[in-house]
Amino acid sequence: WGALCGARREGGGAMAAAAALAVLGPAPGAPSCPHGPALLFVKTCQGKEEGRRFYACSACRDRKDCNFFQWEDEKVSETRLAAREEYNRSHQPFFTHRQNVDRYKNFILLPLSKRRFCQECQQLLLPAEWEKHSDHQFLCDITTAQLKSPSQLLYPLENKKTNAQYLFADRSCQFLLNLLIDLGFRRVLSVGTPRLHEMIQSKASQEEEFNVRSLLLDIDFRYSQFYTEDEFCHYNMFNHHFFGGEAAHETCRKFLNEENGERVIMVTDPPFGGLVEALASSFKKLMAMWRETEKEGHDNREMPMFWIFPYFFESRILDFFPSFSMMDYQVDYDNHALYKHGKTGRRQSPVRIFTNLTPSMIVLPEEEGYRFCTVCQRYVSSGNQHCEICNSCTSKDGRRWKHCVLCKKCVKPSWFHCNNCNCCTLEKHSCEKTDTGCFVCGKAGHKRSTCPSLSRT
C-alpha cells in the first residue's frame, strides 16, 4: 500500500482520481510483522464498490522499511507461516528489556574511562564487548548527565512516516511540563514524547520535592537501555501493540490508576505522516484502559489528553474526537529545519496542541506573543484577530486571516476568491472545476475525507 500512497503523494493525479485507500483498522486474528499485528486496508475506486481487502504493516508506509503484505482472503501455507514467524523472530532486538536493564546497572558501575557508546550500533558497551565493535565509531567517557538524556545521545530516527523523532526544543518541552504541573497533573503517559519523559525523569532524580511521574510508550526500543520496565514500554501507537505482552500492558494499566489524587494526562506526539484513523483507534483504547481503572462515576469521561500535531489535520482529529479543540501555541523542534518557533509568516511552526481540556485553562505565555480573547475564552496568537462575522479568532497559522463574504468564512491572507472554483484559493492556481464527484462513492458535494461511506466503514 505504500507504493499506492507514494504515487498519490508525489503528484500521481490519475491514480489519485482513480483510487483511494481506506484503513479499516485492527482486525481479530490479523497476521503479524515485526511491528506487531497488521492493519486491514481496502482500495476504493471512484464510484465503484470496494476493492479487495489486504493487510499491511501498521507502522511503515514505505515497503522498503517493512514489505509485509497479505490479501485478507488469501490462504497462507504452513511453510510460509513458519517462515514468517522465523522472520519476525529474527527482526526482534538482540537483547530483551530485562537484559538491557541489567546491562545498564553494570554500565553505571564502570569508571568514566570505561564507559563507551557505539554510535553505529546505538548501544551501550561493556568492556567485554569492545573488541566486537573495534571497527565502529564510538563515544567515550559517557557521563551520568548523558545517560539521563538519551534522546541527545541516540541518533534521531527521521523516517517521517514511521518513527519521525523530531524532538521537542527545550522551550516547548519546558512549557509543556510547566503547563502540566500548573494544571495539577502528577502522572504523564508520554506516548512518543521521549524528551518530555526524560525531562520529567531528570527533574525527579535531582529535585526531592518534584512529584511528577512519567511512563514512556515508544516504538524505539533503544530507550530500553536507559529505563526500567516501570519507566518504558515498547509500544506501537498505530496498532496499540505492547511488544512486552501482558506484563507491559499491565504496567500501563497500573500507571493509569489514579491513586492519592494523582491526576493522569496523556501527551502524544505522533509521526506527522502517520494515519490519523489508526492513531485515533489506539488513543481511544488507551482512554478505555484509563476508564477501567476508575473507581466510580467516570464512565462517560475522556482521559485528559494533549495530541500534538500540525494544524492542517484539525478536521481529521475532530472527526474522531469532537470534544477536542486546537490551541494556538506553536510547538517547535530541535532537529527539524521548518518546525521552528518564529514571529511571522511561514517561519512559524505549524504544529499545535489539540486537547479535550477547557481552552481557557491553557494559559499561553504573553512574552511569546499570545493574548487572551475574552470572547473566545482562550489564549490566541497576537496575530489571530477576532472576526466579528465568524465570531471567532479564526487564524490557524498565526497570521491575520481575512473574511470572505462569498465563502462565508475567514481565509488565509494570500488567498483570493476564484469565481470559477467558487472558493478562495491561491491567486496563481489552475482552475480545475469539474463535476467529478467523491473518489470513494462518486457523488458530488463532498471530498473523499468527509465521505459518509468512508465514515461508516
Side-chain angles (χ1 to χ4, degrees):
W1 73 283
L4 176 59
C5 284
R8 295 181 62 214
R9 282 195 305 272
E10 293 164 16
M15 179 170 283
L21 274 179
V23 56
L24 304 181
S32 293
C33 69
H35 304 93
L39 294 181
L40 186 61
F41 295 86
V42 63
K43 185 171 75 172
T44 57
C45 294
Q46 184 178 338
K48 298 181 181 179
E49 292 184 5
E50 286 184 355
R52 194 175 176 186
R53 300 183 179 198
F54 62 91
Y55 292 103
C57 177
S58 61
C60 302
R61 289 176 63 181
D62 194 326
R63 295 289 295 275
K64 289 182 289 186
D65 296 319
C66 182
N67 63 1
F68 181 86
F69 181 93
Q70 180 185 314
W71 295 111
E72 183 190 28
D73 55 3
E74 182 180 353
K75 292 185 178 180
V76 182
S77 68
E78 292 294 327
T79 303
R80 188 175 161 199
L81 281 174
R84 179 183 293 168
E85 287 179 11
E86 177 56 34
Y87 177 84
N88 290 347
R89 273 195 300 270
S90 67
H91 281 71
Q92 294 309 308
F94 185 76
F95 294 111
T96 65
H97 194 168
R98 169 46 50 190
Q99 288 172 325
N100 273 337
V101 170
D102 292 338
R103 286 167 53 80
Y104 182 84
K105 290 177 181 177
N106 292 327
F107 189 87
I108 58 176
L109 294 176
L110 295 171
L112 196 64
S113 60
K114 292 193 174 182
R115 292 183 184 179
R116 294 187 180 182
F117 177 77
C118 179
Q119 290 183 293
E120 293 187 37
C121 301
Q122 294 285 281
Q123 181 182 316
L124 297 173
L125 298 180
L126 298 175
E129 300 162 342
W130 290 0
E131 190 174 346
K132 290 181 182 178
H133 300 259
S134 58
D135 56 344
H136 293 177
Q137 287 189 331
F138 49 82
L139 297 175
C140 298
D141 303 336
I142 303 298
T143 65
T144 302
Q146 286 176 294
L147 294 173
K148 297 287 185 185
S149 303
S151 70
Q152 299 183 35
L153 187 62
L154 300 168
Y155 283 138
L157 303 175
E158 295 186 353
N159 182 327
K160 65 182 178 181
K161 307 177 194 72
T162 309
N163 301 292
Q165 287 180 328
Y166 298 127
L167 303 165
F168 291 147
D170 193 60
R171 160 193 164 269
S172 290
C173 203
Q174 192 64 61
F175 164 76
L176 283 169
L177 180 54
N178 291 342
L179 178 61
L180 296 175
I181 294 171
D182 291 343
L183 290 170
F185 294 105
R186 294 298 175 261
R187 297 193 191 189
V188 182
L189 186 66
S190 304
V191 184
T193 57
R195 187 153 285 179
L196 177 63
H197 174 74
E198 73 182 33
M199 180 176 281
I200 293 172
Q201 294 290 104
S202 180
K203 284 183 175 290
S205 66
Q206 295 172 16
E207 303 172 18
E208 191 173 333
E209 68 281 1
F210 188 81
N211 58 352
V212 180
R213 294 171 53 203
S214 172
L215 173 64
L216 175 63
L217 307 187
D218 204 289
I219 199 170
D220 187 354
F221 190 68
R222 297 178 302 171
Y223 285 104
S224 68
Q225 297 179 87
F226 305 91
Y227 301 121
T228 66
E229 290 100 324
D230 292 331
E231 298 168 334
F232 168 76
C233 292
H234 192 200
Y235 175 77
N236 182 348
M237 71 174 78
F238 292 103
N239 59 3
H240 187 58
H241 178 64
F242 287 87
F243 293 88
E246 186 56 38
H249 188 277
E250 182 62 14
T251 296
C252 182
R253 193 196 67 79
K254 284 183 178 179
F255 184 83
L256 294 175
N257 188 12
E258 296 186 349
E259 296 176 329
N260 303 320
E262 292 185 333
R263 297 174 60 208
V264 175
I265 185 170
M266 182 170 89
V267 182
T268 182
D269 183 31
F272 301 150
L275 293 161
V276 175
E277 296 94 327
L279 292 168
S281 174
S282 295
F283 298 159
K284 287 183 177 182
K285 289 174 182 175
L286 288 171
M287 285 182 167
M289 286 175 64
W290 171 78
R291 275 195 294 270
E292 289 171 7
T293 67
E294 291 303 296
K295 305 294 187 297
E296 57 184 15
H298 299 313
D299 291 346
N300 298 320
R301 282 185 57 199
E302 286 182 338
M303 174 170 62
M305 179 175 165
F306 285 170
W307 181 343
I308 296 165
F309 226 49
Y311 70 79
F312 36 81
F313 283 99
E314 181 182 21
S315 63
R316 299 294 292 129
I317 291 176
L318 296 186
D319 283 344
F320 296 100
F321 295 102
S323 64
F324 278 36
S325 52
M326 187 181 80
M327 303 295 98
D328 273 20
Y329 183 79
Q330 297 175 25
V331 180
D332 57 335
Y333 297 80
D334 268 348
N335 57 328
H336 197 292
L338 298 178
Y339 294 176
K340 302 267 189 194
H341 180 62
K343 297 297 182 186
T344 58
R346 296 188 177 277
R347 289 206 304 269
Q348 298 181 100
S349 169
V351 186
R352 302 290 185 266
I353 300 171
F354 294 86
T355 183
N356 51 4
L357 298 178
T358 305
S360 59
M361 297 169 59
I362 313 299
V363 179
L364 305 186
E366 294 183 4
E367 64 273 15
E368 292 185 18
Y370 299 100
R371 60 178 180 82
F372 188 76
C373 175
T374 54
V375 182
C376 295
Q377 282 294 294
R378 68 183 181 98
Y379 280 83
V380 297
S381 173
S382 57
N384 190 358
Q385 297 299 308
H386 193 87
C387 175
E388 299 295 340
I389 302 173
C390 297
N391 194 29
S392 174
C393 292
T394 52
S395 172
K396 308 294 183 185
D397 60 10
R399 295 178 291 174
R400 183 172 184 172
W401 285 21
K402 60 184 182 182
H403 191 86
C404 175
V405 178
L406 297 174
C407 290
K408 298 181 180 178
K409 64 179 182 180
C410 288
V411 298
K412 295 180 179 180
S414 56
W415 286 14
F416 295 88
H417 194 86
C418 173
N419 292 324
N420 291 330
C421 298
N422 196 30
C423 67
C424 283
T425 183
L426 289 169
E427 188 172 20
K428 294 182 179 179
H429 73 282
S430 56
C431 291
E432 295 180 354
K433 185 171 175 61
T434 174
D435 294 329
T436 302
C438 167
F439 295 157
V440 177
C441 67
K443 296 179 182 178
H446 63 267
K447 297 179 181 179
R448 173 197 169 276
S449 60
T450 55
C451 179
S453 301
L454 194 60
S455 299
R456 284 197 298 273
T457 303

PDB file of all heavy atoms in Angstrom, residues 2 116 145 189 213 225 267 274 396:
ATOM      1  N   GLY A   2       2.106   1.116   0.413  1.00  0.00           N
ATOM      2  CA  GLY A   2       2.998   2.271   0.397  1.00  0.00           C
ATOM      3  C   GLY A   2       3.237   2.789  -1.000  1.00  0.00           C
ATOM      4  O   GLY A   2       3.348   3.977  -1.240  1.00  0.00           O
ATOM      5  N   ARG A 116      31.646   3.366  27.278  1.00  0.00           N
ATOM      6  CA  ARG A 116      31.641   3.629  25.836  1.00  0.00           C
ATOM      7  C   ARG A 116      30.252   3.382  25.252  1.00  0.00           C
ATOM      8  O   ARG A 116      29.512   2.523  25.717  1.00  0.00           O
ATOM      9  CB  ARG A 116      32.662   2.744  25.121  1.00  0.00           C
ATOM     10  CG  ARG A 116      34.103   3.055  25.478  1.00  0.00           C
ATOM     11  CD  ARG A 116      35.074   2.263  24.628  1.00  0.00           C
ATOM     12  NE  ARG A 116      36.466   2.549  24.971  1.00  0.00           N
ATOM     13  CZ  ARG A 116      37.511   2.028  24.354  1.00  0.00           C
ATOM     14  NH1 ARG A 116      37.328   1.154  23.357  1.00  0.00           N
ATOM     15  NH2 ARG A 116      38.738   2.349  24.714  1.00  0.00           N
ATOM     16  N   ALA A 145      25.119  12.541  33.206  1.00  0.00           N
ATOM     17  CA  ALA A 145      24.214  13.518  32.570  1.00  0.00           C
ATOM     18  C   ALA A 145      23.794  13.042  31.190  1.00  0.00           C
ATOM     19  O   ALA A 145      22.633  13.204  30.797  1.00  0.00           O
ATOM     20  CB  ALA A 145      24.899  14.882  32.483  1.00  0.00           C
ATOM     21  N   LEU A 189       1.419  10.093  30.850  1.00  0.00           N
ATOM     22  CA  LEU A 189       1.619   8.981  29.923  1.00  0.00           C
ATOM     23  C   LEU A 189       2.218   9.576  28.656  1.00  0.00           C
ATOM     24  O   LEU A 189       1.525  10.223  27.863  1.00  0.00           O
ATOM     25  CB  LEU A 189       0.296   8.277  29.632  1.00  0.00           C
ATOM     26  CG  LEU A 189       0.407   7.012  28.776  1.00  0.00           C
ATOM     27  CD1 LEU A 189       1.172   5.919  29.516  1.00  0.00           C
ATOM     28  CD2 LEU A 189      -0.973   6.502  28.367  1.00  0.00           C
ATOM     29  N   ARG A 213       5.459  12.002  37.759  1.00  0.00           N
ATOM     30  CA  ARG A 213       5.980  10.740  37.232  1.00  0.00           C
ATOM     31  C   ARG A 213       5.587  10.598  35.769  1.00  0.00           C
ATOM     32  O   ARG A 213       4.574  11.151  35.326  1.00  0.00           O
ATOM     33  CB  ARG A 213       5.430   9.557  38.030  1.00  0.00           C
ATOM     34  CG  ARG A 213       5.902   9.517  39.480  1.00  0.00           C
ATOM     35  CD  ARG A 213       5.141   8.447  40.244  1.00  0.00           C
ATOM     36  NE  ARG A 213       5.227   7.154  39.566  1.00  0.00           N
ATOM     37  CZ  ARG A 213       4.351   6.172  39.730  1.00  0.00           C
ATOM     38  NH1 ARG A 213       3.311   6.348  40.538  1.00  0.00           N
ATOM     39  NH2 ARG A 213       4.505   5.024  39.113  1.00  0.00           N
ATOM     40  N   GLN A 225      17.458   0.642  26.956  1.00  0.00           N
ATOM     41  CA  GLN A 225      18.802   0.622  27.540  1.00  0.00           C
ATOM     42  C   GLN A 225      18.918   1.566  28.733  1.00  0.00           C
ATOM     43  O   GLN A 225      19.832   1.431  29.551  1.00  0.00           O
ATOM     44  CB  GLN A 225      19.844   1.048  26.496  1.00  0.00           C
ATOM     45  CG  GLN A 225      19.950   0.132  25.287  1.00  0.00           C
ATOM     46  CD  GLN A 225      20.982   0.654  24.318  1.00  0.00           C
ATOM     47  OE1 GLN A 225      22.178   0.359  24.414  1.00  0.00           O
ATOM     48  NE2 GLN A 225      20.542   1.457  23.365  1.00  0.00           N
ATOM     49  N   VAL A 267       0.116  12.654  26.882  1.00  0.00           N
ATOM     50  CA  VAL A 267       0.721  13.596  25.942  1.00  0.00           C
ATOM     51  C   VAL A 267       1.331  12.777  24.817  1.00  0.00           C
ATOM     52  O   VAL A 267       2.159  11.897  25.065  1.00  0.00           O
ATOM     53  CB  VAL A 267       1.808  14.467  26.613  1.00  0.00           C
ATOM     54  CG1 VAL A 267       2.378  15.457  25.611  1.00  0.00           C
ATOM     55  CG2 VAL A 267       1.237  15.204  27.822  1.00  0.00           C
ATOM     56  N   GLY A 274       1.788   9.779   9.827  1.00  0.00           N
ATOM     57  CA  GLY A 274       1.040   8.606  10.273  1.00  0.00           C
ATOM     58  C   GLY A 274      -0.442   8.703   9.949  1.00  0.00           C
ATOM     59  O   GLY A 274      -0.979   9.779   9.667  1.00  0.00           O
ATOM     60  N   LYS A 396      -5.338  29.998  11.768  1.00  0.00           N
ATOM     61  CA  LYS A 396      -4.749  28.723  12.168  1.00  0.00           C
ATOM     62  C   LYS A 396      -3.220  28.773  12.182  1.00  0.00           C
ATOM     63  O   LYS A 396      -2.575  27.973  12.857  1.00  0.00           O
ATOM     64  CB  LYS A 396      -5.177  27.602  11.208  1.00  0.00           C
ATOM     65  CG  LYS A 396      -6.671  27.478  10.987  1.00  0.00           C
ATOM     66  CD  LYS A 396      -7.403  27.057  12.233  1.00  0.00           C
ATOM     67  CE  LYS A 396      -8.893  26.870  11.957  1.00  0.00           C
ATOM     68  NZ  LYS A 396      -9.654  26.577  13.181  1.00  0.00           N
TER      69      LYS A 396
END
